[in-house]
Amino acid sequence: MEFAYSDKVKALQAKLERFMAEQVYPNESRFREEIEANRAKGNPWVPSRLIAELKPKARGEGLWNLFLPRSPRAPEGLSNLEYAPLCEIMGRVPWAPEVFNCSAPDTGNMETLERYATEEQKKRWLDPLLAGEIRSAFLMTEPEVASSDATNIQCRIEKAGGDYVINGRKWWSSGAGDPRCKLFIVMGKTDPQAAKHAQQSMILVPRDSAGVKILRPLSIFGYDDAPHGHMDILLSDVRVPASSMLLGEGRGFEIAQGRLGPGRIHHCMRLIGVAERALEFMCRRSLSRVTFGKPVAERTVTQERIAEARIMIDSARLLVLKAAYMMDTVGNKAARGEIAMIKVLAPNLACKVLDWAIQAHGGGGMSDDFPLAYLYAHARTLRFADGPDEVHRNAIAKLELSKHLKR
């Protein structure tokens, strides 16, 4: 496995790092102030003017839709292995990926549409998403059941003449708070009597459909992530044309597995960037603060944490690159063990390094004077977002045990 970055990737890395240094890092305070100003006016769910200003600049420099694999709409698309170091750079600032049209859940939804949608569906939804004109949400998780097991979902999708009628409640629908969100990809059951993994289907639902009701925004450790948001949504007799079905009835679980492979690895790539930035903050803070007569950086406990952080970050990066390489060469199914491992490793790594960085900052680390508290809340959330740690550990263990079963 050769992980050396190509000249093409190195050139994109340099452009991306320069853009982050010139356009993103200097505007972190402005982004926060803009959202807080909207909140003070009574409505934080307003698209960021800053991001709207930066998008054309990023697109003009060729830093646009970098996540999209090679396809008819992206003949020069990058492989997972090529995208990994670029995604890491973008992940250092939570809102930065949107500047490059590379943010979740849109990336996973766009890959889903590219892979499974009809040409008509692509023209209606994928093209404006790729252009950054609209946003989307993925509705799978439900409050009434343990959604770590996707076969538990209760939302019903029932045929009614030339339409489908949808009834159910979804929550943690990330991105649904943004007024630019125009599309929901909804997972529900079309045939509860079918085989366990053939009961589910996915269907495309316009956000403005009659019967769609946003019940409330959900906060994460006190953060509402406006204007992106994570919504609790009720679908009551929502009617859409039969042509809205994605791939076909009973194919929802298949689509979900195809979607979650790239989505999971993108999160892990971004988390490596988060951990790197946390380590940088920890080093700078420990060098500048003095306790009991000497810099915090001279305390052996601090040095041990810095060394351990470097070891863990580099180890995690190598495993992420291995998973990306395998996805590119042998496919998502064959790489399922590596994908599960990085899904456990990356968010736990980020949480650990962030916790150490917060500790090095003292009381300031828990405040919003630094990005650490918010990054910690985000990293901790990702231990659930694409399946809880326990589910991935079980999958890893089963794969390992299967090597030793008597044949």
Side-chain angles (χ1 to χ4, degrees), residues 328-349:
D328 291 336
T329 56
V330 296
N332 295 357
K333 185 175 181 180
R336 63 190 184 280
E338 283 71 18
I339 293 172
M341 284 188 276
I342 62 172
K343 187 61 185 73
V344 174
L345 179 60
N348 278 279
L349 153 74

Side-chain angles (χ1 to χ4, degrees), residues 47-303:
S48 165
R49 295 189 305 275
L50 171 62
I51 291 178
E53 292 172 11
L54 295 182
K55 279 184 173 182
K57 296 180 180 179
R59 193 166 189 173
E61 293 194 26
L63 300 172
W64 191 256
N65 289 336
L66 297 172
F67 74 94
L68 196 63
R70 294 184 184 95
S71 66
R73 283 171 167 77
E76 301 298 321
L78 302 174
S79 67
N80 286 297
L81 186 59
E82 290 173 320
Y83 180 54
L86 309 177
C87 193
E88 176 182 327
I89 295 167
M90 289 184 273
R92 292 167 61 90
V93 175
W95 51 266
E98 187 188 347
V99 171
F100 311 100
N101 212 40
C102 291
S103 56
D106 291 327
T107 51
N109 290 341
M110 285 188 272
E111 284 200 50
T112 297
L113 292 168
E114 175 62 28
R115 187 177 300 180
Y116 303 113
T118 65
E119 190 59 32
E120 181 182 351
Q121 291 168 340
K122 290 178 183 180
K123 287 179 180 178
R124 181 176 180 186
W125 299 116
L126 178 57
D127 289 347
L129 280 167
L130 289 171
E133 297 167 357
I134 65 172
R135 300 208 63 185
S136 60
F138 185 61
L139 278 59
M140 185 170 81
T141 307
E142 299 180 4
E144 303 301 327
V145 295
S147 299
S148 56
D149 178 358
T151 64
N152 279 340
I153 62 170
Q154 298 298 307
C155 178
R156 288 300 311 276
I157 304 173
E158 298 176 285
K159 194 73 179 292
D163 297 331
Y164 282 101
V165 177
I166 307 158
N167 283 282
R169 183 177 171 188
K170 301 288 186 178
W171 72 343
W172 297 112
S173 302
S174 299
D178 193 318
R180 296 167 300 172
C181 178
K182 303 300 181 185
L183 171 67
F184 294 161
I185 299 181
V186 179
M187 186 164 176
K189 285 188 177 179
T190 43
D191 185 1
Q193 306 307 316
K196 187 176 182 180
H197 293 92
Q199 299 176 7
Q200 306 82 12
S201 301
M202 286 195 191
I203 197 161
L204 306 178
V205 177
R207 185 179 188 261
D208 59 3
S209 299
V212 172
K213 184 178 182 181
I214 308 294
L215 298 177
R216 57 175 176 151
L218 300 163
S219 63
I220 297 174
F221 295 108
Y223 295 103
D224 61 13
D225 283 345
H228 183 68
H230 314 278
M231 296 298 170
D232 187 351
I233 301 174
L234 184 64
L235 305 167
S236 300
D237 292 327
V238 176
R239 183 178 291 266
V240 296
S243 59
S244 302
M245 181 62 65
L246 200 56
L247 195 58
E249 285 193 23
R251 309 288 295 274
F253 202 85
E254 173 189 344
I255 298 170
Q257 292 307 299
R259 182 192 186 280
L260 290 176
R264 284 173 181 155
I265 199 168
H266 292 173
H267 281 315
C268 295
M269 293 167 180
R270 286 188 285 264
L271 284 166
I272 301 299
V274 167
E276 279 285 8
R277 198 166 188 216
L279 178 56
E280 292 171 11
F281 270 93
M282 179 163 51
C283 289
R284 289 197 294 265
R285 184 73 166 186
S286 62
L287 286 166
S288 67
R289 307 293 276 195
V290 174
T291 61
F292 306 103
K294 61 181 180 179
V296 174
E298 293 184 15
R299 305 290 175 185
T300 55
V301 65
T302 303
Q303 293 174 358

